[in-house]
Amino acid sequence: MKNAVIGNNKQKANLIVLGAVPRLLYLLQQSSSSLELRTECAVVLGSLAMGTENNIKSLVDCHIIPALLQGLLCPELIFIEVCLRCLRTVFISPVTPVQLLYTDPTVIPHLMSLLSRSQRTQEYITQIFSHCCKTPEHQTVLFNHGAIQNIAPLLISPSYKVRMQALKCFSVLAYENTQVSMTLVNVLVDGELLSQVFVRMMQRDQPIEMQLTAAKCLTYMCRAGAIRTDDSCVVLKTLPCLVRMCSKEHLLEERVEGAETLAYLMEPDVELQRIASTTDHLVAMLADYFKYPSSVSAITDIKRLDHDLKHAHELRQAAFKLYASLGSNDEDIRKKVTFPPWVYFFASRKQYTED
């Protein structure tokens, strides 16, 4: 079964229709099943979860999540890891109700206790947390069960994947949360303040994903009042990093995220708005956000054109948010903002009302 479904969504759907999932879950939960058999069942279930959203819905309807969470009580590390990998795949799907992670109050503390078992458990658990922390209540549950103390050391893990997922955890924990942000500002990681760890992660030699996520962490801490807006880590590091993310050298998705995060950072602070408006020709950079999709390469690069079409609306919306934030307090900055004539045409159309 495992070999049949790898990379084959049609075979995955066939097995699900034929009733393979309840049988696999039955074998997975039987104490009489050998460790090897239970492990293989979890691997096949994980492969099925990597198919379509309908596959995920079928797995969730068959109560795969409680079965896998129960499997985490097994002492064998190899079985714990395959269960966590499958859980990770299920929970990162947009069709999975994240509340299922919080139904049993013993689950979160047990996941915290598994963080020290291996790099794989660290990667999978932090990824589950970052995708399942959607509300202030979720933030509070994770905070109260020691998420900060348990996850902070992972920021200096030798594994890039572990460091990245830990960073994402902190970004969702700190978002609009004063309690978490005030705690983070005093946390030490190997003798270094957490904010300085984030600053190092924003250096140009780090992967773009890491730079952007670290900037988001510091942005959220600043907006929550844990870091002053005139702090050097904001003015000299975070803001320039986010402006850098808006340049056309980056992927469209990165430019959208960079612009939206920058708009959020400086929205209430006129001095940050002034600094941003004169940093790396930001206002001129934003004009490029309206040049997608490009009509130049319509024939030579169809894939690129399709990609641009999908993100054109997001780019324009991000640019308008940043323009609004830049010009919210200072008339001199507003005078720098000029739109192409067709922008006003778009603004008058129904589908662009939100922009």
Side-chain angles (χ1 to χ4, degrees):
M1 289 174 69
K2 179 175 70 175
N3 293 333
V5 300
I6 291 176
N8 191 325
N9 282 342
K10 185 176 180 180
Q11 286 284 49
K12 291 174 184 178
N14 287 340
L15 280 179
I16 291 173
V17 170
L18 291 170
V21 176
R23 182 62 180 164
L24 289 167
L25 289 173
Y26 173 79
L27 294 172
L28 180 82
Q29 298 176 87
Q30 290 302 300
S31 57
S32 58
S33 297
S34 67
L35 175 65
E36 291 76 16
L37 176 58
R38 296 169 71 196
T39 302
E40 287 298 317
C41 287
V43 170
V44 175
L45 289 166
S47 183
L48 294 176
M50 290 181 183
T52 64
E53 290 185 352
N54 285 333
N55 290 4
I56 295 286
K57 288 178 182 177
S58 298
L59 292 171
V60 172
D61 290 343
C62 288
H63 307 292
I64 188 176
I65 292 175
L68 291 171
L69 290 174
Q70 186 67 27
L72 299 181
L73 300 175
C74 172
E76 299 295 335
L77 180 59
I78 186 172
F79 184 62
I80 291 173
E81 288 178 347
V82 294
C83 285
L84 282 172
R85 185 166 65 242
C86 186
L87 279 167
R88 181 274 309 267
T89 305
V90 173
F91 273 120
I92 65 176
S93 169
V95 301
T96 303
V98 298
Q99 193 58 37
L100 292 173
L101 185 68
Y102 303 93
T103 304
D104 184 344
T106 66
V107 168
I108 300 299
H110 185 60
L111 289 173
M112 294 292 180
S113 71
L114 294 175
L115 278 170
S116 60
R117 293 295 298 272
S118 72
Q119 286 186 2
R120 286 193 179 96
T121 64
Q122 292 167 352
E123 177 192 345
Y124 302 148
I125 291 171
T126 49
Q127 193 169 2
I128 289 169
F129 286 162
S130 64
H131 279 273
C132 294
C133 186
K134 302 291 188 184
T135 68
E137 290 74 22
H138 296 162
Q139 291 173 324
T140 300
V141 170
L142 294 173
F143 177 82
N144 289 342
H145 284 99
I148 293 176
Q149 301 91 314
N150 285 293
I151 296 174
L154 306 185
L155 290 171
I156 55 173
S157 166
S159 165
Y160 171 77
K161 289 181 178 180
V162 172
R163 294 197 305 275
M164 194 62 239
Q165 294 304 328
L167 191 58
K168 288 181 178 179
C169 263
F170 283 124
S171 73
V172 297
L173 283 169
Y175 180 65
E176 294 188 345
N177 193 306
T178 302
Q179 182 185 31
V180 170
S181 296
M182 289 295 187
T183 303
L184 288 177
V185 81
N186 295 312
V187 170
L188 292 174
V189 180
D190 199 26
E192 186 178 23
L193 281 173
L194 189 61
S195 58
Q196 292 307 307
V197 176
F198 292 153
V199 167
R200 280 195 292 103
M201 289 178 160
M202 287 191 295
Q203 292 176 353
R204 291 173 183 263
D205 61 344
Q206 298 298 325
I208 298 301
E209 179 188 30
M210 179 169 282
Q211 293 183 47
L212 192 48
T213 310
K216 288 172 71 174
C217 289
L218 288 166
T219 294
Y220 299 156
M221 291 168 67
C222 180
R223 283 299 306 268
I227 301 176
R228 290 169 55 94
T229 56
D230 60 356
D231 191 291
S232 61
C233 75
V234 174
V235 177
L236 301 179
K237 301 295 181 180
T238 307
L239 188 145
C241 175
L242 291 171
V243 172
R244 199 164 64 241
M245 294 300 130
C246 297
S247 68
K248 60 184 178 182
E249 285 77 25
H250 295 294
L251 298 175
L252 302 188
E253 299 93 321
E254 294 163 353
R255 296 171 69 187
V256 169
E257 198 169 356
E260 290 183 343
T261 306
L262 180 58
Y264 182 69
L265 171 65
M266 63 185 182
E267 185 178 13
D269 192 271
V270 65
E271 189 56 36
L272 286 180
Q273 293 161 11
R274 287 172 181 154
I275 294 170
S277 69
T278 58
T279 301
D280 290 345
H281 308 287
L282 176 63
V283 175
M285 249 194 282
L286 288 180
D288 287 332
Y289 277 53
F290 299 99
K291 295 180 180 178
Y292 293 91
S294 171
S295 59
V296 177
S297 57
I299 298 176
T300 59
D301 194 349
I302 297 298
K303 287 185 178 180
R304 176 62 184 269
L305 180 62
D306 183 57
H307 180 266
D308 287 1
L309 280 167
K310 289 179 180 178
H311 291 87
H313 176 70
E314 292 179 9
L315 275 170
R316 284 192 287 268
Q317 183 166 289
F320 283 132
K321 285 180 180 178
L322 191 44
Y323 276 135
S325 185
L326 272 171
S328 59
N329 294 297
D330 192 294
E331 184 62 30
D332 290 335
I333 298 175
R334 291 191 195 107
K335 292 176 181 177
K336 295 179 183 179
V337 178
T338 56
F339 297 116
W342 51 265
V343 170
Y344 299 99
F345 168 71
F346 277 126
S348 67
R349 297 176 64 185
K350 184 177 180 181
Q351 62 263 44
Y352 289 96
T353 302
E354 182 182 346
D355 290 348

